[in-house]
């Protein structure tokens, strides 16, 4: 059975595809190119569920949505669920983040990922993952997407200095996918 990846973010799509080898993946752009879902909920989980249900309704296909973001301790957890709306582009989001942290001694932060799969039967499957680290003083690395160039993992590298496979082992998205993969694959196999 087919699985729709309910995301407009090309970086997420590439990572999700690699995390689910063997599954026939349809991208949101292919299946329902004009759908826009307003992410107006207060939690990652509620936004992921809203996106998954909206794409299922529009396409009729089982739909996997990812809502994720960066929570920075010195900013009281911001940008959090607002991570995509913190500034207009990845580069501007990083610039704003580094400016806000200019005088901060505590640079601890974590990424959160909430995954939700909505099935035509009405069933939902949800998973959650986190990745803990620190915000760098300046961007480093050319891989990944979003805030990866300023997110430093315990090895001292930024996520943008890791290959996609290395990032998947450490990342919030990898952890969330590993949490649901057995049930997801079993559920898709039964369809
Ligand atoms: P969709 O809603 O269409 O999936 P989006 O980019 O709007 O795409 P979110 O609302 O979940 O996705 O926003 C997530 C924000 O957090 C966005 O700015 C991402 O770049 C960033 N982000 C999420 N996961 C990330 C990761 O693994 N590395 C770097 N930045 C990440």
């Amino acid at each position: 059975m087919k699985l729709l990846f309910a995301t407009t973010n090309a970086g997420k799509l590439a990572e999700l595809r690699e995390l689910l080898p063997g599954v026939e993946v349809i991208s949101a752009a292919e299946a329902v190119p004009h759908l826009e879902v307003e992410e107006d909920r207060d939690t990652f989980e509620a936004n992921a569920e809203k996106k998954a249900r909206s794409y299922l309704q529009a396409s009729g296909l089982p739909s996997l949505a990812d809502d994720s973001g960066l929570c920075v301790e010195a900013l009281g957890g911001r940008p959090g669920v607002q991570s995509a709306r913190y500034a207009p582009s990845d580069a501007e989001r990083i610039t704003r983040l580094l400016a806000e942290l200019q005088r901060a001694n505590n640079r601890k932060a974590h990424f959160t990922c909430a995954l939700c799969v909505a099935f035509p039967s009405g069933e939902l499957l949800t998973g959650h993952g986190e990745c803990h680290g620190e915000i760098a003083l300046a961007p480093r690395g050319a891989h990944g997407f979003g805030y990866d160039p300023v997110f430093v993992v315990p090895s001292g590298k930024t996520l943008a200095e890791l290959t996609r496979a290395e990032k998947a082992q450490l990342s919030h998205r990898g952890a969330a996918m590993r949490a649901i993969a057995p049930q997801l694959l079993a559920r898709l196999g039964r369809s």
Side-chain angles (χ1 to χ4, degrees), residues 6-9 12 15 39 51 66-69 83-84 90 93 111 145-148 167 172-173:
T7 179
T8 57
N9 180 317
K12 279 188 192 179
E15 289 186 13
E39 294 176 44
K51 284 190 268 189
D66 165 317
D67 200 59
S68 42
S83 292
D90 279 348
R93 287 187 271 273
F111 277 114
F145 67 96
Y147 298 91
D148 283 344
K167 179 180 170 183
H172 45 308
R173 188 160 296 104

Side-chain angles (χ1 to χ4, degrees), residues 57-102:
Q57 197 176 18
S59 69
L61 293 170
S63 298
L64 166 69
D66 165 317
D67 200 59
S68 42
L70 179 67
C71 304
V72 180
E73 274 193 15
L75 303 180
R78 282 189 306 112
V81 289
Q82 301 293 332
S83 292
R85 293 172 290 283
Y86 187 51
S89 67
D90 279 348
E92 289 163 287
R93 287 187 271 273
I94 285 177
T95 301
R96 178 173 174 193
L97 179 64
L98 294 180
E100 282 208 71
L101 289 179
Q102 214 167 17

Side-chain angles (χ1 to χ4, degrees), residues 15 18-19 129-132 153-154 159 162-178:
E15 289 186 13
E18 201 157 298
L19 286 166
E130 292 190 356
C131 177
H132 290 257
V153 292
L159 286 176
L162 303 181
T163 64
R164 199 179 285 152
E166 287 169 339
K167 179 180 170 183
Q169 297 209 330
L170 300 175
S171 78
H172 45 308
R173 188 160 296 104
M177 186 61 90
R178 283 188 290 278

